[in-house]
């Protein structure tokens, strides 16, 4: 028996050392994969939240320009027909867009907090569990080699519990791997059909389509206004350069500022030209030759053209938003830069957890068998007395 005990002890030490090394390597893989997965997941969330906030800001800038146009239209009552109708349309549209912008921003902030909280909890719990598992494996091996039975048995139980946790986390990360794959598939489908997709609730392109008709209406208003101004300039002031019309002909009214001729004036530059034609001192009859505009009229035109230019400045962003191009670009970035790493690291974590769990089962079984045999050997050594047979034989001989 002593020879068997020594041989068994040696083999358990060698096997335990081998599986302990494997467990340490597996824990390292899990820690590395979990850290990278957490970073990639937060990068994806950051892109989505920034896109949502950017969409909200674009809408708010657009409604701000609309409100300025409304104010200038209200101040210009009596100068043209249809002002009340146009003003009412812009007012209702700006209010609707403001509500959508607030809803998008609220949803983005709420989702960001929930997702970040979930990712942080999962990352911390995983790190703590794997770190405890690493420490318990090493402690169990040390106490097993030193034959400190009470602590040895305690850490065997502790390792069984951690092994169960590793299996549970394996299931969680396997789910996340499948979820990441499904999400990336949904992103690809979103590129094809943004308005009928499970991701539409995050960045609702379908709701923003209501603003497309408004953009077209405002574009047509600006197009007609510029044509009217140019007609008046051609008839009354042929020496003044014409205003560049930034929109194409109906029915599309496409925004094409790059097609403006070099000898035309941009809408934002109209006040600079009119400034030269504005009377500097009306009270003293200070209008010089060629000056025909009063200072009040100049201020009115300046405010109106500035509000139109503010609208034109945000027009490309709003157009991109209603066409869902902003969202498509964000999702394209996720697909190109983050989808494959996200799936890779999720797979790395769950594969590492499977490996650690299997190694832990083998390691704990080895030490459990070793503890049981040690206990039997200890019981056998304590119950058998080497010289107990001699007195019994002498007693039998006397009888």
């Amino acid at each position: 028996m002593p020879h068997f005990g020594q041989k068994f002890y040696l083999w358990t030490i060698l096997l335990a050392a081998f599986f302990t090394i494997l467990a340490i390597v597996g824990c390292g893989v899990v820690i590395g994969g979990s850290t990278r997965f957490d970073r990639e997941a937060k990068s994806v969330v950051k892109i989505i939240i920034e896109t949502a906030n950017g969409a909200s800001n674009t809408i708010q800038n657009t409604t701000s320009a609309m409100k300025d146009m409304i104010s200038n239209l209200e101040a210009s009552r009596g100068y043209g027909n249809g002002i009340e109708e146009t003003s009412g349309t812009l007012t209702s549209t700006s209010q609707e867009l403001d509500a959508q912008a607030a809803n998008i921003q609220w949803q983005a902030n709420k989702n960001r907090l929930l997702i970040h909280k979930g990712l942080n909890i999962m990352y911390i719990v995983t790190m703590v569990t794997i770190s405890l598992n690493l420490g318990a494996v090493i402690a169990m091996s040390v106490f097993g080699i030193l034959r400190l039975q009470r602590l040895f048995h305690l850490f065997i139980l502790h390792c069984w519990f951690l092994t169960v946790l590793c299996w549970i986390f394996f299931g969680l990360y396997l789910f996340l791997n499948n979820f990441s794959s499904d999400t990336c598939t949904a992103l690809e489908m979103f590129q094809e059909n943004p308005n009928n997709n499970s991701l539409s609730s995050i960045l609702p392109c379908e709701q923003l389509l209501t603003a497309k008709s408004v953009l077209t209406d405002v574009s047509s208003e600006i197009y007609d206004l510029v044509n009217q101004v140019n007609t008046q300039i051609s008839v009354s002031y042929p020496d003044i350069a014409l205003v560049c019309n930034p929109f194409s002909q109906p029915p599309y009214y496409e925004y094409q500022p790059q097609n403006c001729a070099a000898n035309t004036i941009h809408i934002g530059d109209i006040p600079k030209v009119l400034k030269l034609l504005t009377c500097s001192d009306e009270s003293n009859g200070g209008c010089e030759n060629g000056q025909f505009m009063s200072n009040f009229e100049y201020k009115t035109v300046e405010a109106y053209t500035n509000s139109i230019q503010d609208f034109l400045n945000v027009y490309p962003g709003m157009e991109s938003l209603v066409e869902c191009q902003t969202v498509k670009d964000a999702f394209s970035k996720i697909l190109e830069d983050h989808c494959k790493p996200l799936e890779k690291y999720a797979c790395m974590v769950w594969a590492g957890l499977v490996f650690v769990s299997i190694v832990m089962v083998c390691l704990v079984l080895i030490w459990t068998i070793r503890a049981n045999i040690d206990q039997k050997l200890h019981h056998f050594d304590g119950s058998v007395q080497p010289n107990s047979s001699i007195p019994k034989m002498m007693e039998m001989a006397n009888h």
Side-chain angles (χ1 to χ4, degrees):
M1 292 297 290
H3 176 70
F4 169 77
Q6 290 176 359
K7 189 174 181 180
F8 177 76
Y9 177 77
L10 178 61
W11 273 108
T12 54
I13 292 297
L14 291 175
L15 283 174
F18 174 70
F19 280 104
T20 299
I21 292 172
L22 291 181
I24 292 172
V25 172
C27 288
V29 171
V30 173
I31 290 173
S34 181
T35 301
R36 290 179 174 86
F37 176 82
D38 182 72
R39 184 176 65 238
E40 289 294 333
K42 287 181 178 177
S43 296
V44 170
V45 173
K46 182 180 179 182
I47 291 172
I48 294 175
I49 298 304
E50 286 181 349
T51 303
N53 288 333
S56 178
N57 291 336
T58 299
I59 295 172
Q60 289 173 348
N61 291 336
T62 303
T63 57
S64 177
M66 284 183 175
K67 289 170 184 176
D68 287 342
M69 292 175 67
I70 292 168
S71 299
N72 291 310
L73 283 170
E74 292 292 332
S76 303
R77 287 183 184 274
Y79 284 93
N81 298 324
I83 286 180
E84 289 187 6
E85 182 180 351
T86 302
S87 177
T89 302
L90 289 176
T91 300
S92 62
T93 303
S94 64
Q95 291 173 349
E96 183 179 348
L97 289 176
D98 274 336
Q100 289 183 2
N103 181 61
I104 290 173
Q105 198 160 35
W106 178 77
Q107 290 282 357
N109 291 333
K110 183 188 71 171
N111 291 331
R112 177 180 60 82
L113 292 174
L114 289 175
I115 295 172
H116 270 272
K117 185 177 181 180
L119 288 173
N120 287 334
I121 290 173
M122 184 179 67
Y123 177 72
I124 292 171
V125 172
T126 302
M127 291 295 105
V128 170
T129 301
I130 295 301
S131 299
L132 288 175
N133 187 78
L134 194 58
V137 165
I138 296 172
M140 182 176 63
S141 299
V142 171
F143 295 137
I145 293 171
L146 297 177
R147 295 188 175 183
L148 301 174
Q149 297 300 321
R150 183 169 297 179
L151 290 173
F152 181 46
H153 293 163
L154 178 64
F155 273 94
I156 286 178
L157 293 174
H158 188 56
C159 286
W160 273 123
F161 173 72
L162 290 172
T163 302
V164 172
L165 284 182
C166 286
W167 281 113
I168 293 173
F169 278 112
F170 150 68
L172 175 62
Y173 276 96
L174 181 61
F175 165 77
L176 288 175
N177 183 38
N178 294 332
F179 179 76
S180 301
S181 179
D182 292 341
T183 301
C184 290
T185 301
L187 291 177
E188 292 176 354
M189 294 175 63
F190 186 93
Q191 303 293 80
E192 299 174 2
N193 187 4
N195 301 320
N196 185 20
N197 192 276
S198 58
L199 297 173
S200 298
S201 59
I202 301 175
L203 293 168
C205 291
E206 188 174 6
Q207 294 179 19
L208 292 174
L209 281 175
T210 56
K212 189 172 183 178
S213 60
V214 177
L215 286 181
T216 303
D217 291 343
V218 176
S219 301
S220 65
E221 291 283 346
I222 296 173
Y223 176 85
D224 293 339
L225 177 64
V226 172
N227 284 344
Q228 291 174 14
V229 170
N230 283 337
T231 300
Q232 188 172 359
I233 290 175
S234 299
V235 174
S236 304
Y237 311 101
D239 295 334
I240 299 177
L242 298 178
V243 178
C244 169
N245 201 325
F247 294 99
S248 66
Q249 295 180 354
Y252 300 110
Y253 299 105
E254 295 178 352
Y255 184 57
Q256 299 174 339
Q258 68 278 3
N259 293 337
C260 288
N263 61 343
T264 57
I265 305 170
H266 290 278
I267 291 177
D269 295 329
I270 290 177
K272 297 178 183 178
V273 176
L274 294 182
K275 184 69 175 176
L276 303 175
L277 304 175
T278 302
C279 296
S280 56
D281 188 4
E282 298 176 45
S283 60
N284 296 323
C287 288
E288 300 176 358
N289 293 332
Q291 292 180 334
F292 60 87
M293 180 174 287
S294 68
N295 193 54
F296 173 77
E297 292 173 330
Y298 170 77
K299 292 293 184 183
T300 302
V301 173
E302 181 185 37
Y304 194 50
T305 54
N306 285 343
S307 64
I308 293 176
Q309 187 59 50
D310 289 340
F311 177 80
L312 294 178
N313 290 340
V314 298
Y315 189 93
M318 194 63 193
E319 186 178 40
S320 178
L321 198 60
V322 298
E323 295 292 344
C324 219
Q325 192 58 46
T326 301
V327 181
K328 288 181 180 179
D329 291 343
F331 286 172
S332 293
K333 184 177 181 180
I334 294 173
L335 281 169
E336 293 173 6
D337 300 337
H338 298 286
C339 264
K340 288 184 178 179
L342 199 64
E343 294 179 46
K344 173 186 173 183
Y345 294 132
C347 181
M348 181 177 172
V349 176
W350 73 251
L353 285 166
V354 168
F355 180 77
V356 170
S357 300
I358 293 173
V359 169
M360 286 290 293
V361 169
C362 295
L363 184 60
V364 174
L365 283 175
I366 290 170
W367 283 122
T368 302
I369 294 170
R370 159 69 190 282
N372 288 333
I373 292 181
D374 274 355
Q375 189 173 2
K376 289 180 180 179
L377 289 174
H378 179 73
H379 178 73
F380 178 80
D381 290 341
S383 61
V384 177
Q385 300 295 331
N387 299 324
S388 61
S389 58
I390 296 175
K392 289 182 179 180
M393 291 176 66
M394 292 177 65
E395 185 178 352
M396 290 176 64
N398 290 333
H399 289 289

